[in-house]
Amino acid sequence: MIELKTPTEVQEMRPAGAFVASVLSALKEKAAVGVNLLELDELAHKMIRDAGASSCYIDYHPSFGASPFGKVLCTSVNDAVLHGLPFDYVLADGDLLSVDFAAELNGWVTDSALSTIVGTPRPEDLRVIEATEVALKAGIESAVVGNKLGDVSWAIGEVAHQYGYKVNTDFGGHGVGRTMHGDPHIPNDGRAGRGLKIKPGLVVAIEPWFLIATDEIYTDPDGWTLRSTDGSRGAHSEHTIAVTPTGPVILTDRG
């Protein structure tokens, strides 16, 4: 069931959004050649404790997960694109790192993700990151009162196709509020003019993710990390947004 938020509730979600944004900004600054993924997880863990927030991930155990996640953020490197379980890995020059983070503060959850290059970039990696960011912007701009959810999916997919990428629709955007995942599901491709009509108070995480040369993924032996079947790299961008009568508001904006 889709739960629309009141204007007061949207305002109450702003501190959670600002906190998630601050953690991602700190993680992006921390990520460098020689830094261990477990160090990034510990930094996020410390920021959660210091803020009096709660992790949405550490005890998370959906049907597709092998076990409770056990960490507080997702770190996906190179051919991993989603749900990357942090492990004892030291970032190397040229790694493409995607970080996904959700947390609860004052009873409200927000969710966001970014991709960045560690050290020396490859042009093709910069391009796929750019594509997810452009698609995220297009999806957000389509999340206006009177449009349909299919318009958001179409806008994201249209960017992917313009860049020449295939789109996997198994995992995509979702409702956010008191919990991390709720209705509606927002695929990263779709048909314009289809689906539920967008109304004020809708709060969702929009999250395009693309792989350079495929749309097929498999689950790593860790039971969580999703990797491309052909070894090609991927990127992931995400914001939590609230639909208002005057347009979408990005709650996890990093400035």
Side-chain angles (χ1 to χ4, degrees):
M1 183 178 73
I2 298 174
E3 297 181 358
L4 300 177
K5 311 298 186 293
T6 67
T8 298
E9 289 174 328
V10 170
Q11 289 300 315
E12 290 174 351
M13 293 186 72
R14 285 183 177 274
F19 171 67
V20 166
S22 71
V23 172
L24 280 175
S25 293
L27 293 168
K28 183 177 181 179
E29 184 175 346
K30 175 73 172 178
V33 175
V35 172
N36 196 299
L37 295 181
L38 296 178
E39 294 179 63
L40 297 179
D41 188 73
E42 179 51 38
L43 173 58
H45 210 146
K46 181 180 185 303
M47 293 183 74
I48 288 170
R49 292 193 300 269
D50 290 348
S54 299
S55 170
C56 294
Y57 290 170
I58 199 160
D59 296 321
Y60 186 54
H61 190 188
S63 59
F64 59 81
S67 61
F69 192 73
K71 304 295 181 185
V72 299
L73 72 157
C74 296
T75 52
S76 304
V77 181
N78 297 334
D79 64 317
V81 69
L82 293 176
H83 306 164
L85 183 64
F87 67 106
D88 185 12
Y89 175 80
V90 176
L91 291 167
D93 186 49
D95 277 346
L96 196 171
L97 171 67
S98 298
V99 182
D100 192 354
F101 179 69
E104 177 268 321
L105 183 66
N106 301 329
W108 293 106
V109 172
T110 59
D111 190 3
S112 188
L114 60 80
S115 292
T116 188
I117 305 296
V118 177
T120 309
R122 300 181 183 183
E124 61 269 29
D125 292 346
L126 293 174
R127 188 172 186 270
V128 72
I129 291 174
E130 177 186 84
T132 63
E133 292 173 345
V134 173
L136 177 58
K137 184 175 185 290
I140 292 171
E141 290 176 348
S142 297
V144 296
V145 175
N147 271 2
K148 302 288 187 68
L149 287 176
D151 295 317
V152 178
S153 296
W154 179 87
I156 294 169
E158 191 67 8
V159 171
H161 302 317
Q162 288 170 3
Y163 275 81
Y165 300 132
K166 298 178 181 178
V167 181
N168 181 301
T169 56
D170 292 341
F171 297 92
H174 52 88
V176 187
R178 295 295 185 182
T179 60
M180 180 170 59
H181 287 136
D183 293 330
H185 172 61
I186 305 176
N188 286 325
D189 201 3
R191 297 181 64 180
R194 297 296 183 93
L196 294 174
K197 183 174 288 188
I198 296 173
K199 299 179 180 179
L202 179 69
V203 178
V204 292
I206 297 175
E207 53 178 316
W209 60 275
F210 309 138
L211 294 161
I212 291 174
T214 185
D215 60 352
E216 297 183 0
I217 53 177
Y218 73 95
T219 304
D220 189 87
D222 67 14
W224 279 99
T225 304
L226 297 178
R227 298 184 182 274
S228 65
T229 56
D230 65 353
S232 61
R233 297 181 175 207
H236 178 200
S237 296
E238 176 182 17
H239 274 311
T240 295
I241 66 115
V243 176
T244 76
T246 56
V249 173
I250 303 174
L251 298 177
T252 50
D253 188 18
R254 294 185 293 275

